């Protein structure tokens, strides 16, 4: 009986330690040798029937990103000139530049991380995203004119949590 209780204690302790390592209920992975924390993927509707778009919060090396996964039914390319325009609830619009692009060869998915500059992290932590516009070579304007409020709140909550965690460390 003592061994069972002790084993159960060790399992619970290990779970508690692991939960503390990954803040804000984010999933942890390693990409190119760097620790990456991601929120859940949230699929959104666009005007293009041949493409699914997914939005998520991403954090890597102390930087915050709006991660977009494009699932096109054909060719799709993004480079540094293909920015994202994000409008916040307070009326401000910000241009986010892609910092990381990964194209999976087998299924054509394109994952792109748009950097939220340190100067505007607090604004993103305090305001919902109300709309977003993206571009690629093949699609000059991919529009999410009205962001789903539930998804916007989930993303804002993750940014808020990471922003507060960074502030507490400093």
């Amino acid at each position: 009986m003592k061994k069972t209780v002790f084993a159960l204690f060790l399992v619970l302790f290990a779970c508690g330690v692991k939960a503390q390592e990954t803040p804000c209920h984010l999933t942890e992975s390693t990409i190119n040798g760097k620790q990456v924390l991601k929120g859940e993927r949230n699929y959104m509707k666009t005007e293009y029937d041949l493409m699914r778009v997914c939005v998520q919060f991403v954090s890597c090396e102390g930087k915050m990103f709006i991660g977009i996964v494009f699932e096109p039914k054909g060719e799709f390319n993004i480079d540094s000139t293909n920015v994202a325009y994000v409008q916040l609830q307070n009326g401000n619009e910000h241009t986010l530049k892609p910092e990381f692009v990964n194209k999976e060869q087998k299924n054509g998915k394109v994952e792109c991380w748009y950097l939220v500059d340190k100067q505007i992290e607090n604004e993103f932590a305090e305001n919902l995203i109300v709309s977003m516009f993206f571009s690629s070579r093949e699609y000059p304007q991919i529009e999410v004119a009205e962001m789903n409020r539930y998804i916007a709140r989930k993303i804002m909550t993750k940014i808020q949590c990471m922003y507060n965690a960074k502030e507490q460390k400093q």
Side-chain angles (χ1 to χ4, degrees), residues 109-169:
K109 283 184 186 179
V110 177
E111 182 176 6
C112 186
W113 300 351
Y114 295 93
L115 178 65
V116 177
D117 288 325
K118 290 195 183 307
Q119 299 86 349
I120 59 173
E121 284 178 355
N122 185 42
E123 191 174 358
F124 272 74
E126 294 178 354
N127 292 280
L128 294 174
I129 297 172
V130 293
S131 64
M132 294 189 292
F133 302 89
F134 313 100
S135 65
S136 73
R137 286 189 222 147
E138 296 78 15
Y139 298 91
Q141 184 167 322
I142 303 166
E143 179 178 340
V144 180
E146 289 187 36
M147 181 78 160
N148 178 304
R149 290 185 70 77
Y150 176 73
I151 293 171
R153 186 161 308 284
K154 285 180 12 180
I155 292 171
M156 184 185 79
T157 302
K158 299 297 185 199
I159 293 173
Q160 215 170 42
C161 182
M162 287 301 290
Y163 180 78
N164 291 337
K166 283 174 55 174
E167 290 295 308
Q168 289 175 355
K169 284 185 179 181

Side-chain angles (χ1 to χ4, degrees), residues 17-31:
V17 169
K18 180 63 178 166
Q20 290 176 353
E21 290 175 8
T22 308
C24 306
H25 306 289
L26 300 169
T27 58
E28 184 178 355
S29 63
T30 303
I31 298 177

Side-chain angles (χ1 to χ4, degrees), residues 1-126:
M1 182 68 178
K2 287 182 181 181
K3 289 181 181 179
T4 304
V5 171
F6 182 71
L8 183 59
F9 174 76
L10 285 177
V11 168
L12 291 174
F13 179 76
C15 290
V17 169
K18 180 63 178 166
Q20 290 176 353
E21 290 175 8
T22 308
C24 306
H25 306 289
L26 300 169
T27 58
E28 184 178 355
S29 63
T30 303
I31 298 177
N32 297 334
K34 299 174 185 173
Q35 179 192 28
V36 177
L37 301 173
K38 292 184 178 184
E40 54 278 318
R41 286 186 173 184
N42 303 286
Y43 286 93
M44 300 182 310
K45 186 169 176 52
T46 69
E47 69 272 21
Y48 298 106
D49 292 335
L50 297 176
M51 177 173 41
R52 290 180 5 151
V53 174
C54 164
V55 178
Q56 69 185 141
F57 170 76
V58 179
S59 177
C60 181
E61 295 187 319
K63 296 178 184 177
M64 292 190 213
F65 303 91
I66 301 296
I68 310 292
V69 177
F70 301 95
E71 297 179 9
K73 298 282 191 227
E75 190 62 28
F76 189 84
N77 294 288
I78 289 183
D79 60 31
S80 61
T81 63
N82 300 122
V83 297
Y85 299 98
V86 178
Q87 185 176 17
L88 299 177
Q89 188 175 22
N90 65 1
N92 290 345
E93 187 175 288
H94 296 283
T95 304
L96 306 182
K97 297 179 181 176
E99 187 164 297
F100 172 81
V101 178
N102 181 35
K103 185 172 184 176
E104 294 179 14
Q105 295 300 321
K106 64 180 177 183
N107 58 16
K109 283 184 186 179
V110 177
E111 182 176 6
C112 186
W113 300 351
Y114 295 93
L115 178 65
V116 177
D117 288 325
K118 290 195 183 307
Q119 299 86 349
I120 59 173
E121 284 178 355
N122 185 42
E123 191 174 358
F124 272 74
E126 294 178 354

